[in-house]
Structure formats: structure tokens, C-alpha cells
Coordinates of all heavy atoms in Angstrom, one line a residue:
M322 N 42.0 -47.2 -93.5 CA 41.7 -47.5 -95.0 C 40.3 -47.9 -95.1 O 39.8 -48.7 -94.4 CB 42.7 -48.5 -95.5 CG 42.6 -48.9 -96.9 SD 43.2 -47.6 -98.0 CE 43.1 -48.4 -99.6
V323 N 39.6 -47.4 -96.2 CA 38.2 -47.8 -96.5 C 38.3 -49.1 -97.3 O 39.2 -49.3 -98.1 CB 37.5 -46.6 -97.2 CG1 38.1 -46.4 -98.5 CG2 36.0 -47.0 -97.4
E324 N 37.3 -49.9 -97.0 CA 37.2 -51.2 -97.8 C 35.7 -51.3 -98.3 O 34.8 -50.7 -97.8 CB 37.4 -52.4 -96.8 CG 38.8 -52.5 -96.4 CD 39.1 -53.7 -95.5 OE1 38.2 -54.1 -94.8 OE2 40.1 -54.3 -95.6
V325 N 35.6 -52.1 -99.4 CA 34.3 -52.4 -100.0 C 34.0 -53.9 -99.8 O 34.9 -54.7 -100.0 CB 34.3 -52.0 -101.5 CG1 35.3 -52.7 -102.3 CG2 32.9 -52.2 -102.1
D326 N 32.7 -54.1 -99.5 CA 32.2 -55.5 -99.4 C 31.6 -55.8 -100.8 O 30.6 -55.3 -101.2 CB 31.2 -55.6 -98.4 CG 30.6 -57.0 -98.2 OD1 30.7 -57.8 -99.2 OD2 30.1 -57.4 -97.1
F327 N 32.4 -56.6 -101.6 CA 31.9 -56.8 -103.0 C 30.6 -57.7 -103.0 O 30.0 -57.7 -104.1 CB 33.0 -57.5 -103.8 CG 34.2 -56.6 -104.1 CD1 35.4 -56.6 -103.4 CD2 34.0 -55.6 -105.1 CE1 36.4 -55.7 -103.7 CE2 35.0 -54.7 -105.4 CZ 36.2 -54.8 -104.7
D328 N 30.3 -58.3 -102.0 CA 29.0 -59.1 -101.9 C 27.8 -58.1 -101.9 O 26.7 -58.4 -102.3 CB 28.9 -60.0 -100.7 CG 29.9 -61.2 -100.9 OD1 30.3 -61.5 -102.0 OD2 30.3 -61.7 -99.8
L329 N 28.1 -56.9 -101.4 CA 27.0 -55.9 -101.3 C 27.0 -54.8 -102.4 O 26.0 -54.4 -102.8 CB 27.1 -55.2 -99.9 CG 26.9 -56.0 -98.7 CD1 27.2 -55.2 -97.4 CD2 25.5 -56.6 -98.6
C330 N 28.2 -54.5 -102.9 CA 28.3 -53.4 -103.9 C 27.6 -53.8 -105.2 O 27.8 -54.9 -105.7 CB 29.8 -53.2 -104.2 SG 30.1 -52.0 -105.5
E331 N 26.8 -52.9 -105.7 CA 26.1 -53.1 -106.9 C 26.6 -52.2 -108.0 O 25.9 -52.0 -109.0 CB 24.6 -52.9 -106.7 CG 24.2 -51.5 -106.3 CD 22.7 -51.3 -106.0 OE1 22.0 -52.3 -106.0 OE2 22.3 -50.2 -105.9
A332 N 27.7 -51.6 -107.8 CA 28.4 -50.8 -108.8 C 27.5 -49.6 -109.4 O 27.6 -49.4 -110.6 CB 28.9 -51.7 -109.9
N333 N 26.8 -49.0 -108.5 CA 25.9 -47.9 -109.0 C 26.7 -46.6 -109.1 O 26.1 -45.6 -109.6 CB 24.7 -47.7 -108.1 CG 25.1 -47.6 -106.6 OD1 26.0 -46.9 -106.3 ND2 24.4 -48.3 -105.7
G334 N 27.9 -46.5 -108.5 CA 28.8 -45.3 -108.7 C 28.5 -44.2 -107.8 O 29.1 -43.1 -108.0
V335 N 27.7 -44.3 -106.8 CA 27.4 -43.2 -105.9 C 28.7 -42.7 -105.2 O 29.0 -41.5 -105.2 CB 26.3 -43.6 -104.8 CG1 26.2 -42.5 -103.8 CG2 25.0 -43.8 -105.5
C336 N 29.5 -43.7 -104.8 CA 30.7 -43.3 -104.1 C 31.7 -42.7 -105.1 O 32.5 -41.8 -104.7 CB 31.4 -44.5 -103.5 SG 31.7 -45.9 -104.6
V337 N 31.7 -43.1 -106.3 CA 32.6 -42.5 -107.3 C 32.2 -41.0 -107.5 O 33.1 -40.1 -107.6 CB 32.5 -43.2 -108.6 CG1 33.4 -42.6 -109.7 CG2 32.8 -44.7 -108.5
G338 N 30.9 -40.7 -107.4 CA 30.5 -39.3 -107.5 C 30.9 -38.5 -106.3 O 31.2 -37.3 -106.5
L339 N 30.8 -39.1 -105.2 CA 31.1 -38.4 -103.9 C 32.6 -38.2 -103.6 O 33.0 -37.2 -103.0 CB 30.4 -39.1 -102.7 CG 28.9 -39.0 -102.7 CD1 28.3 -39.9 -101.7 CD2 28.4 -37.6 -102.4
A340 N 33.4 -39.2 -104.1 CA 34.8 -39.2 -103.8 C 35.6 -39.7 -105.0 O 36.2 -40.8 -105.0 CB 35.2 -40.0 -102.6
P341 N 35.6 -38.9 -106.1 CA 36.1 -39.4 -107.4 C 37.6 -39.7 -107.4 O 38.2 -40.4 -108.2 CB 35.8 -38.3 -108.4 CG 35.5 -37.1 -107.6 CD 35.0 -37.6 -106.3
D342 N 38.3 -39.0 -106.4 CA 39.8 -39.3 -106.3 C 40.1 -40.6 -105.6 O 41.2 -41.1 -105.7 CB 40.5 -38.1 -105.5 CG 40.4 -36.8 -106.2 OD1 40.2 -36.8 -107.5 OD2 40.6 -35.8 -105.6
V343 N 39.1 -41.2 -105.0 CA 39.3 -42.4 -104.2 C 38.7 -43.6 -104.9 O 39.4 -44.7 -104.9 CB 38.7 -42.2 -102.8 CG1 38.8 -43.5 -102.0 CG2 39.4 -41.1 -102.0
F344 N 37.5 -43.5 -105.4 CA 36.8 -44.6 -105.9 C 36.7 -44.6 -107.5 O 36.6 -43.5 -108.0 CB 35.4 -44.7 -105.4 CG 35.4 -44.8 -103.9 CD1 35.1 -43.7 -103.1 CD2 35.6 -46.0 -103.2 CE1 35.0 -43.8 -101.7 CE2 35.6 -46.1 -101.8 CZ 35.3 -45.0 -101.1
D345 N 36.7 -45.7 -108.1 CA 36.6 -45.8 -109.5 C 35.9 -47.1 -109.9 O 36.0 -48.1 -109.2 CB 38.0 -45.7 -110.2 CG 37.9 -45.4 -111.7 OD1 36.8 -44.9 -112.1 OD2 38.8 -45.6 -112.4
L346 N 35.2 -47.1 -111.0 CA 34.6 -48.3 -111.5 C 35.3 -48.7 -112.8 O 35.4 -47.8 -113.7 CB 33.1 -48.1 -111.8 CG 32.2 -48.1 -110.6 CD1 30.8 -47.7 -110.9 CD2 32.1 -49.5 -109.9
D347 N 35.7 -49.9 -113.0 CA 36.4 -50.3 -114.2 C 35.4 -50.8 -115.2 O 34.2 -50.7 -115.0 CB 37.5 -51.4 -113.9 CG 36.9 -52.7 -113.5 OD1 35.7 -52.9 -113.7 OD2 37.7 -53.5 -112.9
D348 N 35.9 -51.2 -116.4 CA 35.1 -51.6 -117.5 C 34.2 -52.8 -117.1 O 33.2 -53.0 -117.8 CB 35.9 -52.0 -118.7 CG 36.6 -50.7 -119.2 OD1 36.2 -49.6 -118.9 OD2 37.6 -50.9 -120.0
N349 N 34.5 -53.5 -116.1 CA 33.7 -54.7 -115.7 C 32.8 -54.3 -114.5 O 32.2 -55.2 -113.8 CB 34.6 -55.9 -115.3 CG 35.4 -56.4 -116.4 OD1 34.9 -56.5 -117.5 ND2 36.7 -56.6 -116.2
D350 N 32.7 -53.0 -114.3 CA 31.8 -52.5 -113.1 C 32.3 -53.0 -111.8 O 31.5 -53.3 -110.9 CB 30.4 -52.9 -113.4 CG 29.6 -51.8 -114.1 OD1 30.2 -50.7 -114.4 OD2 28.5 -52.0 -114.5
E351 N 33.6 -53.2 -111.7 CA 34.2 -53.6 -110.4 C 34.8 -52.3 -109.8 O 35.6 -51.6 -110.4 CB 35.2 -54.7 -110.5 CG 35.8 -55.1 -109.2 CD 36.3 -56.6 -109.2 OE1 35.6 -57.4 -109.8 OE2 37.3 -56.8 -108.6
L352 N 34.5 -52.1 -108.5 CA 34.9 -50.9 -107.8 C 36.4 -51.1 -107.4 O 36.8 -52.2 -106.9 CB 34.1 -50.7 -106.5 CG 34.3 -49.4 -105.8 CD1 33.8 -48.2 -106.7 CD2 33.7 -49.4 -104.5
S353 N 37.2 -50.1 -107.6 CA 38.6 -50.1 -107.1 C 38.7 -48.8 -106.2 O 38.1 -47.8 -106.3 CB 39.6 -50.0 -108.2 OG 39.4 -48.8 -109.0
I354 N 39.6 -49.0 -105.2 CA 39.9 -47.9 -104.3 C 41.4 -47.6 -104.4 O 42.3 -48.4 -104.3 CB 39.7 -48.4 -102.8 CG1 38.2 -48.8 -102.7 CG2 40.1 -47.4 -101.8 CD1 37.8 -49.4 -101.4
S355 N 41.7 -46.3 -104.7 CA 43.0 -45.9 -105.0 C 43.8 -45.6 -103.8 O 43.3 -45.5 -102.7 CB 43.0 -44.6 -105.9 OG 42.8 -43.5 -105.1
T356 N 45.1 -45.5 -103.9 CA 46.0 -45.2 -102.8 C 45.7 -43.8 -102.2 O 46.0 -43.5 -101.1 CB 47.5 -45.2 -103.2 OG1 47.7 -44.4 -104.3 CG2 47.8 -46.6 -103.5
A357 N 44.9 -42.9 -103.0 CA 44.5 -41.6 -102.5 C 43.6 -41.8 -101.3 O 43.4 -40.8 -100.5 CB 43.8 -40.8 -103.6
A358 N 43.1 -42.9 -101.0 CA 42.3 -43.2 -99.9 C 43.0 -43.0 -98.6 O 42.5 -42.8 -97.5 CB 41.7 -44.6 -99.9
E359 N 44.4 -43.1 -98.7 CA 45.2 -42.9 -97.5 C 45.4 -41.5 -97.1 O 45.9 -41.2 -96.0 CB 46.6 -43.6 -97.7 CG 46.5 -45.0 -98.2 CD 46.4 -46.0 -97.1 OE1 46.2 -45.6 -96.0 OE2 46.6 -47.2 -97.4
L360 N 45.1 -40.5 -98.0 CA 45.4 -39.1 -97.8 C 44.4 -38.5 -96.8 O 43.2 -38.6 -97.0 CB 45.4 -38.4 -99.1 CG 46.4 -38.9 -100.2 CD1 46.3 -38.1 -101.5 CD2 47.9 -38.8 -99.6
P361 N 44.9 -37.8 -95.8 CA 44.0 -37.1 -94.9 C 43.0 -36.2 -95.5 O 41.8 -36.1 -95.1 CB 44.9 -36.3 -94.0 CG 46.3 -37.0 -94.1 CD 46.3 -37.5 -95.5
E362 N 43.4 -35.5 -96.6 CA 42.4 -34.6 -97.3 C 41.2 -35.3 -97.9 O 40.3 -34.6 -98.3 CB 43.1 -33.7 -98.3 CG 43.8 -34.5 -99.4 CD 45.3 -34.6 -99.1 OE1 45.7 -34.9 -98.0 OE2 46.1 -34.5 -100.1
N363 N 41.3 -36.6 -98.1 CA 40.2 -37.3 -98.7 C 39.3 -38.0 -97.6 O 38.2 -38.6 -98.0 CB 40.7 -38.4 -99.6 CG 41.2 -37.8 -100.9 OD1 40.7 -36.9 -101.4 ND2 42.3 -38.4 -101.4
K364 N 39.6 -37.8 -96.3 CA 38.8 -38.5 -95.3 C 37.3 -38.0 -95.3 O 36.5 -38.9 -95.2 CB 39.4 -38.2 -93.9 CG 38.8 -38.9 -92.8 CD 39.6 -38.8 -91.5 CE 39.0 -39.7 -90.4 NZ 37.8 -39.1 -89.9
D365 N 37.1 -36.7 -95.4 CA 35.7 -36.3 -95.4 C 34.9 -36.8 -96.5 O 33.7 -37.2 -96.4 CB 35.7 -34.7 -95.4 CG 36.1 -34.1 -94.0 OD1 36.3 -34.9 -93.1 OD2 36.3 -32.9 -94.0
A366 N 35.5 -36.8 -97.7 CA 34.8 -37.4 -98.9 C 34.5 -38.9 -98.7 O 33.5 -39.4 -99.2 CB 35.6 -37.1 -100.2
I367 N 35.5 -39.6 -98.1 CA 35.3 -41.0 -97.9 C 34.1 -41.2 -96.9 O 33.3 -42.1 -97.1 CB 36.6 -41.7 -97.4 CG1 37.6 -41.7 -98.5 CG2 36.3 -43.1 -96.9 CD1 39.0 -42.1 -98.1
E368 N 34.1 -40.4 -95.9 CA 33.0 -40.5 -94.9 C 31.6 -40.3 -95.6 O 30.7 -40.9 -95.3 CB 33.2 -39.4 -93.8 CG 34.3 -39.6 -92.9 CD 34.1 -40.6 -91.8 OE1 33.1 -41.4 -91.8 OE2 34.9 -40.7 -90.8
E369 N 31.6 -39.3 -96.5 CA 30.4 -39.0 -97.2 C 30.0 -40.2 -98.1 O 28.8 -40.6 -98.2 CB 30.5 -37.8 -98.1 CG 30.5 -36.5 -97.4 CD 30.5 -35.3 -98.4 OE1 30.0 -35.4 -99.5 OE2 31.1 -34.3 -98.0
A370 N 31.0 -40.9 -98.7 CA 30.7 -42.0 -99.5 C 30.2 -43.2 -98.7 O 29.3 -43.9 -99.1 CB 32.0 -42.4 -100.3
I371 N 30.8 -43.4 -97.5 CA 30.4 -44.5 -96.6 C 28.9 -44.2 -96.3 O 28.1 -45.1 -96.3 CB 31.3 -44.6 -95.4 CG1 32.7 -45.1 -95.8 CG2 30.6 -45.4 -94.3 CD1 33.7 -45.0 -94.7
A372 N 28.6 -43.0 -95.9 CA 27.2 -42.6 -95.5 C 26.3 -42.7 -96.7 O 25.1 -43.0 -96.5 CB 27.2 -41.3 -94.8
G373 N 26.8 -42.4 -97.9 CA 25.9 -42.3 -99.0 C 25.7 -43.5 -99.8 O 24.8 -43.6 -100.6
C374 N 26.5 -44.5 -99.5 CA 26.4 -45.8 -100.3 C 25.0 -46.4 -100.0 O 24.8 -46.8 -98.8 CB 27.5 -46.8 -99.9 SG 27.3 -48.4 -100.7
P375 N 24.2 -46.6 -101.0 CA 22.8 -47.1 -100.7 C 22.8 -48.6 -100.4 O 21.8 -49.1 -99.9 CB 22.1 -46.9 -102.1 CG 23.2 -46.7 -103.1 CD 24.4 -46.2 -102.4
R376 N 24.0 -49.2 -100.5 CA 24.0 -50.7 -100.2 C 24.8 -50.9 -98.9 O 25.0 -52.1 -98.5 CB 24.7 -51.4 -101.3 CG 23.9 -51.4 -102.6 CD 22.8 -52.4 -102.6 NE 23.3 -53.7 -102.6 CZ 22.6 -54.8 -102.1 NH1 21.4 -54.6 -101.7 NH2 23.2 -56.0 -102.1
A377 N 25.3 -49.8 -98.3 CA 26.1 -49.9 -97.0 C 27.3 -50.9 -97.3 O 27.6 -51.7 -96.4 CB 25.2 -50.4 -95.9
A378 N 27.9 -50.8 -98.4 CA 29.0 -51.7 -98.8 C 30.4 -51.2 -98.4 O 31.3 -51.9 -98.5 CB 28.9 -51.9 -100.3
L379 N 30.4 -49.9 -97.9 CA 31.7 -49.4 -97.6 C 31.9 -49.3 -96.1 O 30.9 -48.9 -95.3 CB 31.9 -47.9 -98.2 CG 31.8 -47.9 -99.7 CD1 31.8 -46.4 -100.2 CD2 33.0 -48.6 -100.3
H380 N 33.1 -49.5 -95.6 CA 33.4 -49.4 -94.2 C 34.9 -49.1 -93.9 O 35.7 -49.5 -94.8 CB 32.9 -50.7 -93.4 CG 33.6 -51.9 -94.0 ND1 33.0 -52.7 -95.0 CD2 34.8 -52.5 -93.8 CE1 33.8 -53.6 -95.3 NE2 34.9 -53.6 -94.6
W381 N 35.2 -48.6 -92.8 CA 36.6 -48.5 -92.4 C 37.1 -49.8 -92.0 O 36.4 -50.5 -91.3 CB 36.8 -47.5 -91.3 CG 36.5 -46.0 -91.6 CD1 35.4 -45.3 -91.2 CD2 37.2 -45.2 -92.5 NE1 35.4 -44.1 -91.7 CE2 36.5 -43.9 -92.5 CE3 38.3 -45.3 -93.3 CZ2 37.0 -42.9 -93.3 CZ3 38.8 -44.3 -94.0 CH2 38.1 -43.1 -94.1
R382 N 38.3 -50.2 -92.4 CA 38.9 -51.4 -91.9 C 39.1 -51.3 -90.4 O 39.7 -50.3 -89.9 CB 40.2 -51.7 -92.6 CG 40.8 -53.0 -92.2 CD 41.8 -53.5 -93.3 NE 42.9 -52.5 -93.4 CZ 43.7 -52.4 -94.5 NH1 43.5 -53.2 -95.5 NH2 44.7 -51.6 -94.5
Q383 N 38.7 -52.3 -89.7 CA 38.9 -52.3 -88.2 C 40.3 -52.5 -87.8 O 41.0 -53.3 -88.4 CB 38.0 -53.3 -87.6 CG 36.5 -53.1 -87.8 CD 36.0 -51.7 -87.3 OE1 36.2 -51.4 -86.2 NE2 35.4 -51.0 -88.2
Ligands
SF4_622 S1 28.2 -46.4 -103.6 FE1 28.2 -48.5 -102.6 S2 27.1 -49.8 -104.0 FE2 27.6 -47.9 -105.1 S3 29.5 -48.4 -106.2 FE3 30.1 -47.4 -104.3 S4 30.4 -49.1 -102.8 FE4 29.3 -49.9 -104.6

């Protein structure tokens, strides 16, 4: 499962653009991660989001 470090996330939405089925920003600019993150077909998009996050705020849970 992918996780976000809210101390690092600046809610710029890059991950939402790369993996819109997984990430979303609410009205308070807080990132949420949907249960679709568990689906194998979203793994590549999540990897792209982890690599593309300019704040390095996303990571796989160890
Ligand atoms: S790309 Fe990174 S900084 Fe931007 S909203 Fe997603 S987790 Fe936050």
C-alpha cells in the first residue's frame, strides 16, 4: 500500500494527475488515497506518482 507523508505533501496534485484512480485532493487540499491503491492494475501508475512527486512525499509502506 502506498502512503503519503503529510509533513512533506504540498497538495500540488502531481500524483492526482498521474494516478487519478488512486489519489484525490479534497476541498481542504488534503490528499486521500483510495482503496483502488490495492489493485494490481494501478501499481505502475502509483510507481509513476511516487517517482513524480516533487516533494518525495509518497512511499510504499514497509
Ligand atoms: S505529488 Fe506529492 S506533493 Fe503533490 S499532492 Fe501528491 S503527494 Fe502531495
Side-chain angles (χ1 to χ4, degrees):
M322 182 73 172
V323 62
E324 292 183 326
V325 59
D326 184 335
F327 287 104
D328 290 337
L329 295 175
C330 176
E331 63 182 11
N333 53 42
V335 172
C336 58
V337 181
L339 291 169
D342 291 341
V343 173
F344 302 102
D345 195 19
L346 285 170
D347 68 16
D348 292 342
N349 296 318
D350 271 354
E351 181 150 323
L352 190 71
S353 63
I354 299 175
S355 82
T356 54
E359 309 274 9
L360 301 176
E362 59 262 40
N363 285 324
K364 185 168 183 291
D365 287 352
I367 293 170
E368 293 278 15
E369 284 184 35
I371 290 172
C374 173
R376 297 281 294 158
L379 297 172
H380 55 268
W381 294 111
R382 183 162 60 203
Q383 299 300 308

